Amino acid sequence: MSRRPTLFDMSADGKRCVRFPESDVPHIGADEALGADQVRQTSPALPQVSEAEIARHYAALARMNYDLDFGFYPLGSCTMKYNPKAIQQAAALPGWTGLHPATPASCAQGALQIMWLLEQMLAQIAGLPAVSLQPPAGAAGEFTCLRVFRAYHDSRGDHARTAVIVPDTAHGTNPASVARCGYSSRPLQSGPDGRINLEALQDALDDGTAAVMLTNPNTLGLFETDIVAIAEAVHDAGALLYCDGANMNAMLGYGRPGDMGFDAMHYNLHKTFGTPHGGGGPGSGPIAVTAALEPFLPVPRISREGNRFEWDWDRPQSIGLVHGFYGNFLVAIQAYAYILSLGAEGLREASRAAVLNANYLLQGLADAYELAYPGPCMHECVFSAQELQRETGVRAADLAKRLLDYDIHPPTMYFPLVVKEALMIEPTETESKATLDRFIEVMLTLHEEAHTDPQVLQSAPHKTPVGRLDELQAARKPVLRWQPEQ
Ligand SMILES: *Cc1c(COP(=O)(O)O)cnc(C)c1O
């Protein structure tokens, strides 16, 4: 396949974007301003190109990208959920973008008020009274909560608790956060129905258990039906129960982790509340905790007295700072605008539509594809291509590559790890019935192709700028840098 020319390929001596006339304003030379030893002696080898070449080059690259504004993006678990443009405009207002993070609280009352209000909203949605917006991502929220748990256990002289139980369906960030926190992670095998096996959990719990981390609904898109009994068992053992709330878009306004018995949770504002996840910019992983855990939350907290808002640093039991200033503020603005624009009933509606859409896909595909666990599901459904592979040799990866030829972004694959040849599909709440019907139709076509012409899938994609890559070589001998040809 021929390679697109880079800007360096197009470069020729003397080409320029703009030419300014020689300045007639006297100026200090670089040598004088910086000191001669600070000034480079040779020019950087930058490409010399015209303005049109640059503009066309980047426009062409942008067109090769697949994004939410181009088409359906059913990437389970980490999905780009609804990201309204109006919300992004609200966050782009110059008053927010121009606000220096070190502005004194007295001059940033509006910003503090919005953060305080967002904390109240997230506390209500969680059913947990205290919120910190500081962690800058979901994984950072997990890490922060585990540190809060640790500070809580330590404050009670309970130092022997060093193990955290993590089900085998959990997101990979869960065991990673456990390790970063100095705890050891103990995997828990899920039951035949894809949910926690209560007896296995009871057997695993002991005096050394600091916490149990659960995702609810879990990463198979299934709701943990035994959640109240699970919470009781965890608390009886003296441990704390953590909710990975990255999947909150499945139950906004329907179920509250606090009511289910969770002690703490994190949100992914950059999934559930109006900001894109994955290459879409900064994230935000606020945490919500019980009153018993509140003293340990990161500093500073926002305090309110009447209509005045202040940073409160005077919190002796706090675990300290986990991020500069107060987290990624503009993501918080987007979440605030999103929640206000939908309202309580709108949030419920969003979850209702997310679950309905996922079940619509589940029904539409269940005859052709093998469902990993029986439905109904919550916000996402997981299929396995294992049976298809046995019959036709076509793997989940081949289906994913072939989808690209139909202008559809593939679903999440090979996750969760407990499902062989997994295809994890999350349609989200805003896709129309027509889009879902087209996806089902294309998936059924692929199923047919697998039986009649498996090679077309195994060598896909055929219509993308780059064809099937050698994934082994890409991992073993990655080419990460362009080098000039000598
Ligand atoms: C996305 C996700 C995370 C991690 O969030 P990041 O912001 O990517 O760190 C954790 N758990 C689940 C279930 C997720 O889907």
Side-chain angles (χ1 to χ4, degrees):
M1 171 163 309
S2 71
R3 177 173 70 76
R4 259 199 77 77
T6 65
L7 286 177
F8 290 93
D9 296 323
M10 294 175 218
S11 174
D13 271 351
K15 279 203 242 172
R16 288 283 181 279
C17 282
V18 279
R19 284 175 203 279
F20 293 109
E22 270 302 308
S23 170
D24 57 1
V25 180
H27 61 280
I28 308 172
D31 279 9
E32 221 178 307
L34 299 171
D37 59 330
Q38 298 295 318
V39 178
R40 61 184 303 159
Q41 297 308 311
T42 51
S43 301
L46 296 176
Q48 302 186 45
V49 286
S50 72
E51 182 172 342
E53 281 172 323
I54 282 204
R56 286 174 192 157
H57 180 70
Y58 284 110
L61 290 181
R63 251 174 249 135
M64 285 160 68
N65 200 9
Y66 191 103
D67 56 65
L68 203 51
D69 290 337
F70 178 76
F72 188 45
Y73 215 109
L75 199 58
S77 187
C78 291
T79 297
M80 309 274 255
K81 277 124 202 165
Y82 183 38
N83 308 135
K85 298 285 182 277
I87 304 306
Q88 290 165 11
Q89 281 165 9
L93 291 174
W96 304 132
T97 55
L99 185 66
H100 194 283
T103 306
S106 60
C107 301
Q109 285 292 300
L112 265 72
Q113 183 175 10
I114 283 191
M115 288 190 272
W116 188 85
L117 287 168
L118 179 60
E119 285 184 1
Q120 308 302 305
M121 292 169 175
L122 293 178
Q124 246 188 56
I125 294 170
L128 290 163
V131 169
S132 167
L133 303 179
Q134 209 176 96
E142 297 165 20
F143 171 74
T144 307
C145 275
L146 289 170
R147 295 235 343 251
V148 165
F149 284 5
R150 185 159 205 158
Y152 168 83
H153 287 311
D154 283 349
S155 76
R156 296 154 49 94
D158 205 350
H159 302 294
R161 296 184 181 273
T162 54
V164 177
I165 296 173
V166 182
D168 53 7
T169 49
H171 196 272
T173 50
N174 290 191
S177 299
V178 170
R180 291 293 299 161
C181 200
Y183 281 148
S184 63
S185 142
R186 278 221 233 127
L188 180 72
Q189 201 182 344
S190 39
D193 62 349
R195 295 176 171 85
I196 299 292
N197 178 333
L198 188 55
E199 275 166 33
L201 175 66
Q202 271 158 339
D203 286 347
L205 285 164
D206 60 29
D207 291 349
T209 312
V212 176
M213 294 180 90
L214 284 192
T215 310
N216 201 18
N218 69 21
T219 55
L220 293 163
L222 303 174
F223 189 80
E224 292 293 351
T225 40
D226 281 339
I227 188 62
V228 174
I230 290 171
E232 245 174 56
V234 172
H235 292 145
D236 285 349
L240 295 165
L241 186 58
Y242 181 75
C243 177
D244 178 332
N247 295 339
M248 265 312 274
N249 65 316
M251 58 178 193
L252 294 170
Y254 284 99
R256 305 199 307 170
D259 298 340
M260 297 172 200
F262 285 101
D263 296 286
M265 69 170 289
H266 82 261
Y267 287 99
N268 275 60
L269 296 190
H270 53 296
K271 280 182 185 174
T272 311
F273 294 104
T275 293
H277 178 271
S284 177
I287 55 174
V289 302
T290 57
L293 296 173
E294 205 236 339
F296 308 100
L297 284 178
V299 277
R301 308 256 303 128
I302 300 174
S303 64
R304 179 189 170 195
E305 233 184 272
N307 286 330
R308 302 290 303 169
F309 298 87
E310 240 337 305
W311 293 120
D312 179 6
W313 288 90
D314 184 21
R315 306 188 56 86
Q317 288 186 291
S318 164
I319 60 163
L321 268 167
V322 295
H323 190 267
F325 302 99
Y326 207 65
N328 288 328
F329 172 61
L330 295 180
V331 182
I333 295 280
Q334 288 187 198
Y336 178 74
Y338 179 80
I339 292 171
L340 277 189
S341 67
L342 264 73
E345 193 41 48
L347 290 179
R348 281 166 62 85
E349 180 71 35
S351 283
R352 196 154 53 223
V355 172
L356 181 65
N357 283 358
N359 280 286
Y360 187 75
L361 285 190
L362 185 152
Q363 286 300 325
L365 296 174
D367 283 345
Y369 292 93
E370 180 192 359
L371 204 51
Y373 294 94
C377 61
M378 296 291 285
H379 58 303
E380 58 197 359
C381 51
V382 183
F383 289 92
S384 165
Q386 209 179 6
E387 203 178 282
L388 188 71
Q389 188 187 9
R390 254 196 310 270
E391 288 169 10
T392 67
V394 166
R395 305 184 56 203
D398 302 324
L399 293 167
K401 303 281 186 203
R402 183 66 175 145
L403 274 175
L404 297 171
D405 288 335
Y406 290 89
D407 282 341
I408 293 177
H409 194 285
T412 297
M413 291 178 305
Y414 300 107
F415 178 80
L417 301 176
V418 292
V419 178
K420 297 249 159 47
E421 294 295 319
L423 286 168
M424 180 198 229
I425 308 172
E426 178 167 9
T428 80
E429 68 278 15
T430 40
E431 296 300 341
S432 67
K433 180 167 174 296
T435 302
L436 302 183
D437 285 337
R438 165 142 198 279
F439 178 71
I440 292 172
E441 193 190 306
V442 170
M443 286 298 286
L444 297 182
T445 306
L446 300 197
H447 188 262
E448 178 113 8
E449 284 179 348
H451 289 86
T452 54
D453 187 5
Q455 180 56 31
V456 76
L457 286 115
Q458 284 158 343
S459 56
H462 305 283
K463 297 184 188 164
T464 47
V466 177
R468 178 77 65 121
L469 298 173
D470 185 338
E471 288 177 13
L472 198 65
Q473 287 300 319
R476 291 268 162 83
K477 290 188 189 157
V479 180
L480 303 175
R481 261 188 88 180
W482 176 84
Q483 301 282 0
E485 280 156 32
Q486 295 301 329

